Amino acid sequence: MSDTAAKPRRKWLGHPGLSVVIFTTWLLANDSVYIGHIILAALLALVLPWLTAEFWPDAPRIHRPGLALRLFAVFAYDVVIANFRVAILVIGPNARLRPAFLEIPLDLEDSFGVAILASMITLTPGTLSAHVRESDRILVVHALDVDDEAAAIAEIKQRYEAPLREVLGC
C-alpha cells in the first residue's frame, strides 16, 4: 500500500490507537455491551480523535521496534518494583526517607522524546518529573528516596533515556 493510499484512511480515523482506547474505555466505564452503548462508543471513538487531530503532533517514527518493546518491559518491571519499594517506605518510619531533586542533563533533542521520558519517570512510583529547564536542557526530577544522586541520574539515563534515544532515532 502506498503512502498516498494510506493518507485518506489515517486522516479519517485520526488516531486509530486513541479510537480503540476511547471505545474500550466507554464500554468498560458503562459496564455494558448493549447496542446503544456500542454505537455511542463507536461514534465517540471516531469523532473525538477527528475533532482533536490538529492538537496532536505527528507520530514519531520508531526506528527500533524490538528495543521499544524491551524498553516497555523494563519500564513495566520498574513500575511494579517501585510500587513495592514505595509501599515499604510509606509503611516504615519516615526517618528512612531521603527525598531529593535530581537535575538530569538531557541528551534527547526531540521534545516528544523528552515528554515520553518525563512521563515514564512520573508514572514510576516514587519519582516525579517536576520541570524541564530548556535553557540548559535539564530535566528536574523529584525522587522520594535517593541514596546516591549521581547513581540515580545515571540509572535514569541508562535505563530510559539512552534506549528512548535509539528507539526514536534522536
Side-chain angles (χ1 to χ4, degrees), residues 7 18 20 23 25 33 48 59 70 74 92-93 104 128 133 136 149 157:
K7 281 187 180 181
L18 179 60
V20 170
F23 181 83
T25 302
V33 288
L48 290 177
R70 184 170 161 258
V74 167
I104 302 171
L128 175 73
R133 280 196 330 240
D136 53 357
E149 287 187 24
K157 290 184 74 61

Side-chain angles (χ1 to χ4, degrees), residues 98-106 117-118 121-122 124-133 136-157 160:
R98 298 163 294 191
F101 278 98
L102 308 172
E103 293 189 349
I104 302 171
L106 294 172
L117 176 64
I121 290 169
T122 297
T124 305
T127 56
L128 175 73
S129 299
H131 179 65
V132 177
R133 280 196 330 240
D136 53 357
R137 307 211 29 86
I138 298 287
L139 176 62
V140 180
V141 172
H142 181 268
L144 186 61
D145 188 46
V146 177
D147 184 31
D148 179 1
E149 287 187 24
I153 290 169
E155 182 178 21
I156 289 171
K157 290 184 74 61
Y160 300 138

Side-chain angles (χ1 to χ4, degrees), residues 36-89:
H37 284 285
I38 292 172
I39 292 170
L40 185 55
L43 184 65
L44 290 172
L46 290 173
V47 171
L48 290 177
W50 181 74
L51 287 174
T52 62
E54 69 182 72
F55 302 113
W56 290 82
D58 291 333
R61 184 165 184 256
I62 296 178
H63 294 271
R64 299 200 41 207
L67 182 59
L69 290 174
R70 184 170 161 258
L71 174 61
F72 179 76
V74 167
F75 170 67
Y77 172 81
D78 288 350
V79 168
V80 170
I81 297 302
N83 272 295
F84 288 112
R85 286 183 182 159
V86 168
I88 290 168
L89 286 169

Side-chain angles (χ1 to χ4, degrees), residues 1-7 9:
M1 180 182 255
S2 71
D3 287 339
T4 55
K7 281 187 180 181
R9 182 177 154 246

